[in-house]
Amino acid sequence: MAEARPAPAAGLQLNALPDDSPLLQPGLAELRRRARAAGAPVAPLPLTDAFLLRFLRARDFDLDLAWRDSFPLKVRGIHLINEPVIFHAVFSMIKPFLTEKIKERIHMHGTNYKQNLLQHFPDILPLEYGGEEFSMEDICQEWTNFIMKSENYLSSISQTIQ
């Protein structure tokens, strides 16, 4: 739908509007329509205006981009360790349907993963996986501290979704 796709400048202008602006309603309605037409589940997250607005703001209100590229994460690599032997057979059946780019990003390390992972992640592996700087306990403590410092923010976004 070409008419639903605003120009980049229009998307930036829409991004500057408050969440309750009536000018945002056509974009929300169109995204909600597309999601329902595609069979998007109503639960666990209902398609509330607040939820859809965060989604659209991240894409500068470009509905086509939001719908086509709706996975908000860039996958640079998928690394499997200790994968079951059957996975290789399953993957060989799926592989012909993947693009070359995706095929190159999937790495199966098997049970000899320590040396293989070191080739891909020499600077970030914990001591338990062949790294040289931090233990798993150090990393867990760092994340625990980060989450505890973020308690107010996490609580506020949790309330926004409800």
Side-chain angles (χ1 to χ4, degrees):
M1 272 188 186
E3 69 274 0
R5 185 177 187 171
L12 294 174
Q13 291 168 347
L14 290 172
N15 244 342
L17 295 173
D19 287 356
D20 59 352
S21 172
L23 296 173
L24 301 177
Q25 293 307 310
L28 290 172
E30 175 61 15
L31 187 58
R32 186 175 284 115
R33 185 196 66 72
R34 290 183 188 191
R36 288 191 175 132
V42 180
L45 286 177
L47 299 175
T48 64
D49 285 359
F51 174 78
L52 293 174
L53 275 171
R54 282 195 306 275
F55 189 74
L56 286 171
R57 286 186 190 286
R59 288 149 187 87
D60 291 326
F61 284 83
D62 184 334
L63 284 168
D64 290 330
L65 175 66
W67 192 249
R68 183 183 66 244
D69 299 332
S70 61
F71 192 62
L73 179 68
K74 179 171 178 132
V75 177
R76 294 194 175 171
I78 299 172
H79 293 264
L80 304 166
I81 60 172
N82 288 328
E83 69 275 3
V85 176
I86 189 75
F87 192 80
H88 292 271
V90 172
F91 184 66
S92 67
M93 290 187 287
I94 296 170
K95 202 172 182 178
F97 301 103
L98 302 175
T99 65
E100 287 302 315
K101 189 176 184 181
I102 296 297
K103 289 178 196 176
E104 293 169 4
R105 292 180 180 183
I106 299 175
H107 307 276
M108 291 185 268
H109 300 288
T111 56
N112 186 19
Y113 56 86
K114 285 188 181 181
Q115 189 58 38
N116 290 332
L117 288 177
L118 271 175
Q119 292 171 1
H120 292 277
F121 310 105
D123 300 332
I124 63 170
L125 285 178
L127 294 170
E128 293 84 352
Y129 290 92
E132 297 178 1
E133 292 191 39
F134 306 103
S135 69
M136 288 291 286
E137 187 174 329
D138 294 337
I139 295 168
C140 288
Q141 188 60 54
E142 183 180 339
W143 272 102
T144 300
N145 294 343
F146 175 78
I147 289 171
M148 295 308 287
K149 286 182 203 172
S150 305
E151 181 179 8
N152 291 338
Y153 171 71
L154 295 171
S155 178
S156 72
I157 62 171
S158 171
Q159 292 170 1
T160 303
I161 292 173
Q162 298 170 359

